[in-house]
């Protein structure tokens, strides 16, 4: 690595698309984002406080007292100290950009390793580009393809020149052939034959954690195109900041937990109190009470945290009735339930119980790891599967990258009794059986054990996408800036949708979205009427998730012409959508929750 900056990324990108372990292209090189050990020291980073998220991370990772720090910000000031994230050059095999004088359909280029390049990163005076093929395993490890072993179909002492022959211009694997000057050759399409293990077995290499970072692994290597969408799936935890109640001594202990978590017996408090600021805050309490509060905190840390969405749902539904001219009590979370007479105009909204305005909200996102090949999404309560083996962000992680966004939103609560009556209808039950069967088919080919989310979630999720398209026309924010958070509390029969926007600065709190709560019926009318028909009907409307031909296992009547939105807006990667559960569609009119006249 060098200290010279070779490119720039936004803070948010270092948690999503380009987090530690992600592969990307710099202007002149291909690289892999370095792990947290290659980031600036935490003393140079901004710490983010979010106790609830910290407790969740501790429960998931088992790391004691993890901290959250924001990625370094760009410093464009004259003479400013450069503060960036280290990256490593990867992969370490290159294709020489040969001068093609043949004019034929076959283009041959030499394959060369990094050590064969000169100081100007050239080979024989010619420029090179990193090969787009690497080897990876399901645990996230990546390595260079052993090209000599691959082309000779086993270990070899041959060191003659390797060539990559490209037949035609499609770039398809079947048109690519690796050739050695000794006469051995092999088609790249054979690298896709997973049953034969053509690339060998994984060595556990983790180049994003340094040159000599390996761990034990016995997984077979798979071919991975480094720029493909399945090369990096971040696991990001998202919570809304909810003011925690003041519990007296418990609140003080939580505030000082970074100092007190090492206390094992009451005598240890004497040493801790030598710090003046700590002693001042603990002065009103006795050592016995302080130690008891520490023990309560330690027991709560070892127990699972209540799911993020349920905590948020409790806080939103507990908000009092009011208007948008209230002075915010808390800049991180300020919610009021809009009086019914303001937004309810007709029977169209009979299935809606209440509308809430979130005048202020704070969203905190933290990256805890990543996977390759298969995305593991959180369940409907925002929790990841405990059995998922995620790749680590550091050799010994003690902190995690996080960002905070401030914004606004509206929350639409559906009437629980109406949802229960809807679920009892035979047409709905038949449709949900099809959707559940599609989920089972999808799961057969994946390691994920995510349960079927249920009818209420799919109803809410699809309605959310339709409303996002309507809100984007009038709220002043583009569709990609409006995000969703679906609340399907099946145990307590509470159902709602949060549509919100947020950004690191004040641009997420301009009021354009929250004011649309007053016009909810207009947006609902537009969303339902546009959702009834799709430009791809009747094919879209009559699609069944159990059709093996299309393999769209998790979708009912939903496609890019109607219900799918940008993945930056969707919390479930555009899965579990079905217009037929929301509005009557062609050929399936009886399963709709809303009746559109």
């Amino acid at each position: 690595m060098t200290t010279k900056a070779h490119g720039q990324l936004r803070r948010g990108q270092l948690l999503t698309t380009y987090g530690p372990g992600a592969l990307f292209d710099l202007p002149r090189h291909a690289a892999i984002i370095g792990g947290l050990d290659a980031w600036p020291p935490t003393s140079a980073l901004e710490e983010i406080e979010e106790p609830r998220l910290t407790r969740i991370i501790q429960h998931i990772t088992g790391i004691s007292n993890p901290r959250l720090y924001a990625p370094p910000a760009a410093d464009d000031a004259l003479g400013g100290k450069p503060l960036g994230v280290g990256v490593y050059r990867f992969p370490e095999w290159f294709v020489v950009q040969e001068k093609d004088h043949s004019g034929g359909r076959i283009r041959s280029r030499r394959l060369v390793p990094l050590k064969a390049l000169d100081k100007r990163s050239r080979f024989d005076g010619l420029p090179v580009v990193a090969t787009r093929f690497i080897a990876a395993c399901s645990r996230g490890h990546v390595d260079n393809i052993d090209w000599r072993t691959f082309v000779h179909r086993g270990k070899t002492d041959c060191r003659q020149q390797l060539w990559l022959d490209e037949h035609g211009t499609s770039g398809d694997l079947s048109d690519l052939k690796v050739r050695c000057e000794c006469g051995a050759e092999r088609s790249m399409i054979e690298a896709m034959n997973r049953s034969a293990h053509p690339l060998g077995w994984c060595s556990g290499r983790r180049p994003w954690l340094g040159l000599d970072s390996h761990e034990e692994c016995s997984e077979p290597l798979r071919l991975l195109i480094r720029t493909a969408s399945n090369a990096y799936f971040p696991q990001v935890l998202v919570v809304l900041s909810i003011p925690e109640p003041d519990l007296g001594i418990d609140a003080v202990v939580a505030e000082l937990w970074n100092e007190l978590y090492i206390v094992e017996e009451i005598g240890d408090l004497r040493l801790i109190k030598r710090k003046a600021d700590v002693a001042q805050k603990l002065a009103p309490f006795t050592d016995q009470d302080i130690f008891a509060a520490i023990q309560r905190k330690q027991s709560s840390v070892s127990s699972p945290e209540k799911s993020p969405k349920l905590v948020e749902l409790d806080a939103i539904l507990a908000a009092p009735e009011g208007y948008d001219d209230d002075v915010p009590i808390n800049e991180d979370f300020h919610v009021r339930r809009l009086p019914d007479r303001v937004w309810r105009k007709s029977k169209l909204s009979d299935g809606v119980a209440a509308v809430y305005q979130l005048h202020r909200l704070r969203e905190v996102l933290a990256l805890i790891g990543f996977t390759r090949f298969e995305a593991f999404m959180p369940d409907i309560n925002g929790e990841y599967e405990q059995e998922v083996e995620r790749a680590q962000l550091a050799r010994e992680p003690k902190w995690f990258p996080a960002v905070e966004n401030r914004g606004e939103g509206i929350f639409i609560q559906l009437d629980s009794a109406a949802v229960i009556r809807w679920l009892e209808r035979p047409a709905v039950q038949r449709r949900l059986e099809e959707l559940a069967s599609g989920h089972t088919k999808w799961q057969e080919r994946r390691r994920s054990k995510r349960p079927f989310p249920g009818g209420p979630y799919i109803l809410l999720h699809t309605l959310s996408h339709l409303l996002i398209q309507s809100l984007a026309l009038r709220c002043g924010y583009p569709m990609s800036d409006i995000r969703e958070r679906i609340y399907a509390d099946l145990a307590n029969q509470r159902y709602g949708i949060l549509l919100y926007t947020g950004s690191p600065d004040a641009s997420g709190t301009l009021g354009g979205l929250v004011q649309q709560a007053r016009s909810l019926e207009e947006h609902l009318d537009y969303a339902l009427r546009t959702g009834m028909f799709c430009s791809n009907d009747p094919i879209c409307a009559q699609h069944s998730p159990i059709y093996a031909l299309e393999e769209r296992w998790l979708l009912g009547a939903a496609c890019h012409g109607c219900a799918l939105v940008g993945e930056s807006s969707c919390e479930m990667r555009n899965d579990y959508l079905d217009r037929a559960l929301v509005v009557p569609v062609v050929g399936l009119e009886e399963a709709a929750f809303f009746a559109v006249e």
Side-chain angles (χ1 to χ4, degrees), residues 94-100 107-110 112 122-123 125-131:
F94 303 85
V95 179
V96 181
Q97 301 302 288
E98 311 282 356
K99 296 179 180 178
D100 186 11
R107 184 182 183 187
S108 296
R109 294 178 291 175
R110 284 172 286 183
V112 294
R122 289 173 171 257
F123 184 81
L126 296 174
V128 299
V129 296
T131 176

Side-chain angles (χ1 to χ4, degrees), residues 6 10 65 72 78 81 99 116 135 158 191 288 304 313 322 338 346 381 413 440 444 458 513 515 547 560:
H6 290 276
R10 297 190 303 274
N65 194 36
L78 183 63
K81 183 180 179 181
K99 296 179 180 178
C158 178
Q288 290 78 11
L313 187 58
L338 193 62
S346 68
N381 291 320
Q413 181 188 10
T440 302
E444 289 175 354
I458 301 176
L513 179 58
Q515 288 300 329
Y547 288 166
H560 285 285

Side-chain angles (χ1 to χ4, degrees), residues 21 49 70 117 130 166 192 214 258 303 322 360 471 492 505 556 573:
E49 299 286 347
L117 305 185
E166 185 173 356
M192 295 294 293
H214 293 73
N258 292 334
S303 62
R360 294 289 186 272
L471 288 167
N492 299 299
D505 51 36
R573 297 179 59 86

Side-chain angles (χ1 to χ4, degrees), residues 338 342-346 348-349 352 355-357 408-412 414 462-477 479 482 497 499 511-532 562 582-583 594 596:
L338 193 62
V342 177
W343 61 270
R344 197 184 296 274
K345 310 293 183 183
S346 68
L348 180 66
S349 57
V352 179
V355 176
Y356 294 76
Q357 293 178 307
E408 60 180 276
I410 60 176
F411 179 86
I412 301 103
L414 292 191
T462 311
L463 177 61
S464 171
H465 282 211
L466 298 176
L467 285 172
I468 285 175
Q469 298 176 53
S470 177
L471 288 167
L473 298 175
R474 293 175 54 183
C475 72
Y477 295 105
M479 191 185 303
I482 304 175
I497 301 166
L499 302 176
L513 179 58
V514 75
Q515 288 300 329
Q516 297 304 313
R518 295 171 174 262
S519 305
L520 176 69
E521 277 204 351
E522 296 178 27
H523 290 292
L524 188 60
D525 180 69
Y526 179 87
L528 298 180
R529 293 189 182 279
T530 55
M532 289 178 65
C562 54
V582 181
V583 291
F594 292 95
V596 182

Side-chain angles (χ1 to χ4, degrees), residues 431 435 540-541 543-545 552 554-559 577-579:
R431 187 62 173 178
L435 292 166
C540 175
H543 168 72
S544 174
R552 295 195 297 141
L554 304 182
L555 296 177
C559 70
L577 297 166
D578 187 10
R579 287 183 296 130

Side-chain angles (χ1 to χ4, degrees), residues 480-527:
S480 59
D481 282 357
I482 304 175
R483 300 194 292 279
E484 68 181 5
R485 204 151 167 80
I486 310 300
Y487 299 85
D489 182 7
L490 304 179
N492 299 299
Q493 298 177 353
R494 299 183 300 175
Y495 311 105
I497 301 166
L498 174 62
L499 302 176
Y500 69 102
T501 186
S503 68
D505 51 36
S507 63
T509 58
L510 300 178
L513 179 58
V514 75
Q515 288 300 329
Q516 297 304 313
R518 295 171 174 262
S519 305
L520 176 69
E521 277 204 351
E522 296 178 27
H523 290 292
L524 188 60
D525 180 69
Y526 179 87

